[in-house]
Amino acid sequence: MTEVENRAATNIHWHESSVTRADRSAILGHKGVTLWFTGLSGSGKSTLAVALEQTLTARGILSYRLDGDNIRHGINANLGFSPADRQENIRRVGEISRLFADAGAIVLSSFISPYVSDRDLVRKLHTDSDLPFLEVFVDCPLTEAETRDPKGLYKKARAGEIRGFTGIDAPYEAPITAELHLRTDQLTIQQEVDMLITALQQRGIID
């Protein structure tokens, strides 16, 4: 690839849609939003997002779930787990989430996203676009997450087979001001879903 081919594009312009966000909301009957589920591996992020997606769908509400493993099968297949790659992974997902939310969907993004700065970047992408963003801290003690260990990753990390694993030899920076803080070792899935539905209703996103 030549230097010219590798250079970031500069001759691009943002094109406003002739269909407004309000138009889409009127058609769908609800507003777009991103719910960003963050927490340790095994904390219950994906399980909760699946349950919420099923509940919303049953109510006729358009939602779309973005999952860490699924994203790395496709658009982020070229990224590893270095701090720089983790940052780019979250940036790309943040942009995708913003586009889905702008289209009127309730986006359920489930990513460990261990760094506060990366999550703040995603939040800013939404606030700059005047889109609602709810950070959901799916909180689970490390000891409990290790007990669950659905993929056997903690066991491998403890054995040194995986390096840079969040919670073991890589940090997790817990949210301090998340919109919702859910203790998955103390709440049932249904209780958590009910709390999320209430949060969406209180903010006027769904009826």
Side-chain angles (χ1 to χ4, degrees), residues 16-33:
E16 295 294 340
S17 173
S18 60
V19 179
T20 68
R21 197 174 292 164
D23 292 333
R24 298 188 187 98
S25 179
I27 293 170
L28 295 169
H30 59 81
K31 298 177 181 178
V33 62

Side-chain angles (χ1 to χ4, degrees), residues 89-100:
N89 179 56
I90 296 305
R91 187 196 69 79
R92 292 183 193 178
V93 175
E95 291 284 4
I96 295 169
S97 299
R98 181 181 65 84
L99 290 173
F100 269 97

Side-chain angles (χ1 to χ4, degrees), residues 33-40 43-46 48-49 52 106-113 119 123 133-140 172 174-184 187 192-193 195-197 199-200 203:
V33 62
T34 290
L35 278 71
W36 191 272
F37 299 89
T38 176
L40 294 171
S43 61
K45 299 182 300 300
S46 295
L48 178 54
L52 180 58
I106 294 180
V107 189
L108 313 175
S109 296
S110 303
F111 295 83
I112 293 174
S113 45
R119 299 194 301 268
R123 181 185 293 276
F133 176 86
L134 305 183
E135 186 176 35
V136 182
F137 180 21
V138 185
D139 189 3
C140 176
Y172 177 77
I176 298 174
T177 57
E179 279 73 16
L180 287 100
H181 183 171
L182 306 178
R183 287 291 302 268
T184 61
L187 298 167
E192 294 163 12
V193 168
M195 292 172 68
L196 290 165
I197 291 293
L200 292 173
R203 290 165 173 79

Side-chain angles (χ1 to χ4, degrees), residues 117-173:
S117 59
D118 293 345
R119 299 194 301 268
D120 285 348
L121 172 63
V122 177
R123 181 185 293 276
K124 187 174 187 302
L125 288 173
H126 286 72
T127 55
D128 286 351
S129 296
D130 196 26
L131 286 165
F133 176 86
L134 305 183
E135 186 176 35
V136 182
F137 180 21
V138 185
D139 189 3
C140 176
L142 177 61
T143 52
E144 174 67 20
E146 285 197 72
T147 299
R148 298 174 184 177
D149 202 12
K151 302 175 185 176
L153 299 179
Y154 283 105
K155 183 177 181 180
K156 291 181 179 179
R158 290 291 189 189
E161 297 175 26
I162 300 176
R163 299 292 184 183
F165 190 78
T166 302
I168 303 300
D169 58 347
Y172 177 77
E173 299 172 0

Side-chain angles (χ1 to χ4, degrees), residues 1-12:
M1 181 178 291
T2 67
E3 181 181 349
V4 172
E5 291 172 328
N6 194 41
R7 189 179 303 156
T10 56
N11 59 333
I12 56 175

